[in-house]
Amino acid sequence: MRILGVDPGLNITGYGVLEVNSHFHSRLLETGVIKTERNFPLGQRVRKIYEEVKKIIKEFHPQVMVLEELYSHYRHPRTAILMGHARGVISLAAAEERVTLVGYSSTRIKKALLGRGDARKEQLQKMVRYLLNLKNIPRPVDVSDALALCLAHTYIMRSVRK
């Protein structure tokens, strides 16, 4: 099975593609970022995200796409609104390409990979590096977050099948 993890953002959208075998061993196929220009109109920015995600789907043919669920801190509602635009076009690309879309909260992701939902981001990054047997922590953080989404989905699916 191929899993596409996407960390949606209007400025930077990180992604990672893992191939998972029947024993739930993961192999990294691809990582990257989709960047948009802050000074471009919103419509152009979300269109670029949409088109790039469609290209990734067409190249790697994932069976599942995993997105982090929206979270809004009361001090920063604008961040959630902007992320919602990116998340919307990413979801549309998945629907058009008939890719199953799954969402998890950040605490669920941390709990699946680290055993506790209040773990620090640095701990999550180190675990991603360890689980994928990488020399370095994937950068930028948007990429390691996307890979954490893929890995969390793998662990959650494994626990469901037991």
Side-chain angles (χ1 to χ4, degrees):
M1 175 194 311
R2 287 192 178 175
I3 303 170
L4 170 59
V6 182
D7 181 36
L10 193 55
N11 298 324
I12 298 174
T13 293
Y15 67 90
V17 182
L18 295 184
E19 189 166 70
V20 181
N21 68 19
S22 60
H23 300 291
F24 294 97
H25 294 114
S26 301
R27 184 170 64 100
L28 179 61
L29 297 180
E30 176 80 0
T31 65
V33 293
I34 302 165
K35 293 182 180 181
T36 66
E37 299 295 327
R38 292 178 190 259
N39 59 336
F40 282 24
L42 178 63
Q44 287 181 353
R45 295 173 79 184
V46 295
R47 183 178 186 176
K48 180 177 181 179
I49 294 166
Y50 167 79
E51 289 172 348
E52 293 298 317
V53 169
K54 290 265 289 197
K55 285 180 192 175
I56 295 162
I57 292 170
K58 287 177 189 252
E59 181 177 350
F60 292 99
H61 307 285
Q63 285 76 39
V64 177
M65 179 189 294
V66 187
L67 288 174
E68 186 173 337
E69 291 180 353
L70 277 179
Y71 166 78
S72 176
H73 192 278
Y74 69 93
R75 291 185 197 158
H76 307 286
R78 182 172 163 74
T79 302
I81 292 166
L82 292 174
M83 188 168 92
H85 290 312
R87 197 173 190 282
V89 296
I90 293 165
S91 298
L92 175 61
E96 285 184 349
E97 296 300 320
R98 292 177 171 67
V99 176
T100 300
L101 187 62
V102 179
Y104 299 114
S105 68
S106 62
T107 54
R108 182 67 180 107
I109 295 160
K110 292 173 186 175
K111 188 162 178 74
L113 296 181
L114 297 162
R116 43 186 288 215
D118 64 345
R120 294 187 330 270
K121 187 164 290 269
E122 296 81 22
Q123 292 171 300
L124 188 64
Q125 291 173 310
K126 287 178 183 177
M127 184 57 79
V128 166
R129 186 184 121 277
Y130 172 76
L131 292 172
L132 292 174
N133 198 27
L134 303 173
K135 290 182 181 180
N136 300 306
I137 291 172
R139 302 275 186 217
V141 69
D142 312 270
V143 170
S144 60
D145 286 353
L147 292 172
L149 288 161
C150 293
L151 290 165
H153 181 69
T154 301
Y155 278 70
I156 292 166
M157 295 289 59
R158 181 168 56 185
S159 68
V160 168
R161 291 189 182 170
K162 284 185 178 180

